[in-house]
Amino acid sequence: MAAPPAYALIATDLDGTLLRGDDTVSERSLAALERVARAGARHLVVTGRPAPRVRPLLAALGCTGLAVCGQGAQVYDAGTERLLWSVRLDRELAETALGKIEAEVGQVFAAVDQDGVDGLTLIEPGYLMPHPTLPAVRVDQRDDLWREPISKVLLRHHTLSDDELAATARAAVGSLATVTMSGPGTVELQPCCVTKATGLALAAGRLGIPAERALAFGDMPNDIPMFAWAGRGVAMANAHPELKAVADEVTTSNEDDGVAVVLEGLFPAG
């Protein structure tokens, strides 16, 4: 009988990690994930995208199990198309947090991801979507962002870098919310103490897989908690320096199939 794989759970971020710049997954990466499945290990998407923005990608990957979405605030079951777990960001706290940030840096531009499997992404005037391929609904004023329950707030500033905005936001917000940076032009506020690690731990617990048997791939600082939880963390060559600093290994870039490069070594063909 073949020995069980060293890792029973493969957790992959999407943007900048498993996905190429055109939002596709390469044939090589798909083949590597098939090797994972044949070996009896599980693949789990762990992404900052909310569940409604992930559903088409999960279908393309053939995923019918769990996915961690919304920076860990949602655990989605692709098989039943429902949320098993969801944490909302209090809208009054979100408004207060925005006010504190703007008191430090001047005007910021905001968007929100609504809660639920059919939730919309709403953007206020002046906010530019970092992923132009993702659908969003423009509203007339900021007050319209809060009309339905939300899972997170996305922030942009016209002159500050992402690192500068994230650092200032963390200092200004304190314990009102968790501040993350998940990609170019993507600084986010999410429920306090919620990270990718909390969602991943919950999903792994449902699957009966301990942290030491999890292998995680990522590219941005929002993946740091996931790396701290998993048995091993692999950063992409294109990863943010903060993530590379805590990674156990650095692979090639997302454009060069970095996830597949590692998985091919761990899960031999056949």
Side-chain angles (χ1 to χ4, degrees):
M1 178 179 292
Y7 295 104
L9 179 63
I10 308 302
T12 63
D13 173 49
L14 288 178
D15 296 288
T17 301
L18 184 62
L19 295 181
R20 291 180 165 181
D22 60 359
D23 269 9
T24 63
V25 182
S26 72
E27 291 298 322
R28 182 179 180 184
S29 293
L30 288 172
L33 292 174
E34 289 176 2
R35 291 190 188 189
V36 168
R38 286 197 300 271
R42 303 292 291 268
H43 171 227
L44 193 65
V45 166
V46 184
T47 178
R49 296 191 187 195
R53 307 288 86 81
V54 179
R55 292 165 72 182
L57 287 169
L58 294 177
L61 288 169
C63 294
T64 58
L66 304 183
V68 177
C69 308
Q71 303 292 12
Q74 300 172 327
V75 176
Y76 174 70
D77 186 337
T80 62
E81 298 186 337
R82 64 188 182 95
L83 288 172
L84 302 183
W85 186 68
S86 180
V87 181
R88 294 173 176 177
L89 176 60
D90 183 274
R91 286 168 280 178
E92 290 187 5
L93 285 182
E95 283 191 279
T96 299
L98 277 178
K100 288 180 174 292
I101 294 168
E102 290 187 319
E104 297 295 328
V105 301
Q107 185 177 18
V108 298
F109 300 92
V112 300
D113 286 332
Q114 293 179 332
D115 188 40
V117 294
D118 297 311
L120 301 174
T121 297
L122 305 180
I123 58 178
E124 72 174 349
Y127 184 90
L128 299 176
M129 286 291 289
H131 296 285
T133 61
L134 295 180
V137 176
R138 189 169 297 280
V139 298
D140 294 329
Q141 55 189 357
R142 180 170 291 178
D143 285 348
D144 295 330
L145 298 177
W146 322 120
R147 64 192 185 202
E148 298 289 344
I150 62 173
S151 60
K152 65 180 177 179
V153 178
L154 301 90
L155 306 175
R156 301 198 75 170
H157 193 280
H158 278 179
T159 59
L160 292 180
S161 69
D162 297 333
D163 290 286
E164 291 169 334
L165 179 57
T168 302
R170 287 191 187 98
V173 168
S175 62
L176 290 178
T178 297
V179 178
T180 62
M181 181 168 54
S182 60
T186 313
V187 175
E188 303 179 3
L189 306 179
Q190 60 195 75
C192 184
C193 300
V194 171
T195 68
K196 283 189 173 185
T198 56
L200 177 55
L202 182 62
R206 285 179 172 267
L207 297 172
I209 301 173
E212 60 269 20
R213 298 202 64 201
L215 173 66
F217 293 85
D219 74 307
M220 291 299 290
N222 65 321
D223 295 312
I224 291 175
M226 179 169 69
F227 278 24
W229 180 87
R232 188 171 184 83
V234 180
M236 314 304 290
N238 50 286
H240 191 283
E242 289 182 17
L243 187 68
K244 286 183 176 179
V246 301
D248 297 297
E249 178 182 352
V250 177
T251 183
T252 56
S253 73
N254 62 318
E255 299 293 343
D256 293 320
D257 303 313
V259 171
V261 168
V262 174
L263 295 182
E264 287 166 357
L266 293 172
F267 299 88

